[in-house]
Amino acid sequence: NMSDGLDKIFFGDIQLNDLMLEDLEELLITSDIGVETSMDLIGRVAKGWEQDRAKIRSLLRTEILALISKQDPQPQPPPDGPRVVMVVGVNGVGKTTTIGKLAAQARANGESTLLAAADTFRAAASEQLTVWAERTGAEIVKHKDGADPAAVAFDAVAAATARGIDTVIVDTAGRLHTKVNLMEELKKIKRSIGKNLPDAPHEILLVLDATTGQNAISQAKLFNEALDITGLVLTKLDGTAKGGIVIAICNDLQIPLQYIGIGEQI
Ligand code: GDP
Ligand code: MG
């Protein structure tokens, strides 16, 4: 789509003009790159243009790659005891599915893995996680429905420490039974994870649904303020989502994009 659009706007060895830049801006914005990042890219392209008029495509590619690659996550040293990953995000974005995929990856790396069913909002949530535990050969800690999610997370970390588990992945709810603020509840879960394991959680992954477009960015800002997100997961890029959202997220948020989701299976 973007490639065809570029062909229409620019062809031959041409003088750059404002109309072309406006068309380029529209092309970038309709690819879900977002207004701010699109403006940013256009500024860079316009700057690089003087030296090399005909190479709009490679110029744009270079600038986009620069935006994305500066976000590469730094590798962290492995913790003593279990590595705890907390997974957050609004309802339906793909948290539980992502946990299934992460569990499969951890298991494939030979790590013993334990899942914590701290989404106690609905019965189906822990059942869904149980299915993923069975599929991947992970252990699971769950309480009865409506239980305190922070208590589930606490027990999971305690169990993992006692059993010498390598990786704990904590599922959470995207909404709540009570009027308690979701962010307050998530902060409480985070604190309870750290009670017995001072550096935990080692990672807090925010899952975003790519099909929600620019709304994903406002969600990220909100969650990051409350929880200090360490990495992003962008799901449903196999569907109708426009890939430009990846570029917008990398440029807008100083949080590395660590995984993308491309399907409902492992
Ligand atoms: P949660 O509420 O955040 O835990 O979301 P779920 O993991 O339950 O996922 C909600 C729906 O999105 C389910 O039907 C999943 O199968 C689906 N889903 C999750 N990730 C992806 C993905 O990367 N691609 C597609 N097509 N569907 C996904
Ligand atoms: Mg879920």
Side-chain angles (χ1 to χ4, degrees):
N1 186 35
M2 188 178 291
S3 191
D4 284 352
L6 288 175
D7 284 344
K8 281 184 195 132
I9 303 169
F10 308 96
F11 52 91
D13 190 13
I14 35 155
Q15 201 71 43
L16 185 66
N17 63 43
D18 286 350
L19 199 64
M20 287 174 195
L21 288 181
E22 269 171 37
D23 286 348
L24 179 60
E25 185 186 331
E26 193 184 323
L27 179 67
L28 295 177
I29 290 171
T30 54
S31 306
D32 248 351
I33 292 180
V35 177
E36 214 171 295
T37 307
S38 296
M39 300 301 285
D40 221 31
L41 279 170
I42 284 167
R44 291 159 195 246
V45 165
K47 220 177 183 181
W49 190 270
E50 283 151 318
Q51 293 109 37
D52 204 345
R53 299 182 175 183
K55 292 194 176 163
I56 177 75
R57 208 178 284 264
S58 60
L59 195 56
L60 205 51
R61 184 187 294 129
T62 307
E63 293 302 343
I64 288 173
L65 274 176
L67 286 185
I68 292 177
S69 37
K70 78 174 175 207
Q71 300 297 327
D72 280 350
Q74 297 297 312
Q76 292 168 338
D80 300 335
R83 178 176 66 98
V84 183
V85 182
M86 179 175 169
V87 178
V88 300
V90 302
N91 209 39
V93 289
K95 290 181 294 300
T96 305
T97 307
T98 298
I99 289 168
K101 295 173 182 178
L102 291 173
Q105 196 181 55
R107 297 289 299 132
N109 289 338
E111 296 163 30
S112 54
T113 306
L114 184 145
L115 308 182
D119 176 359
T120 57
F121 179 74
R122 57 197 171 96
S126 77
E127 283 165 22
Q128 191 189 354
L129 198 69
T130 304
V131 171
W132 279 110
E134 283 163 4
R135 249 180 226 160
T136 56
E139 297 181 36
I140 185 166
V141 166
K142 54 187 171 183
H143 289 187
K144 56 183 191 309
D145 306 328
D148 176 7
V152 179
F154 182 88
D155 284 358
V157 173
T161 309
R163 296 177 206 170
I165 294 280
D166 299 314
T167 304
V168 180
I169 313 177
V170 182
D171 194 14
T172 62
R175 59 183 162 162
L176 301 167
H177 286 290
T178 57
K179 286 242 154 56
V180 181
N181 182 290
L182 176 64
M183 296 304 158
E184 290 309 314
E185 193 65 48
L186 292 172
K187 281 191 212 168
K188 195 176 143 199
I189 296 173
K190 183 181 173 182
R191 283 195 302 272
S192 80
I193 289 172
K195 259 181 203 157
N196 278 335
L197 204 60
D199 291 332
H202 306 91
E203 291 174 44
I204 303 181
L205 296 178
L206 173 64
V207 181
L208 300 167
D209 176 342
T211 60
T212 59
Q214 298 300 305
N215 186 31
I217 293 176
S218 31
Q219 282 173 28
K221 285 179 178 153
L222 210 71
F223 276 86
N224 192 40
E225 268 167 30
L227 296 163
D228 279 329
I229 301 301
T230 63
L232 300 173
V233 181
L234 196 58
T235 60
K236 310 192 190 181
L237 276 167
D238 53 308
T240 55
K242 296 172 187 156
I245 186 71
V246 173
I247 302 164
I249 283 179
C250 285
N251 193 42
D252 275 24
L253 308 163
Q254 296 300 310
I255 309 169
L257 179 62
Q258 282 186 292
Y259 300 98
I260 61 166
I262 43 167
E264 300 179 80
Q265 310 300 315
I266 283 181

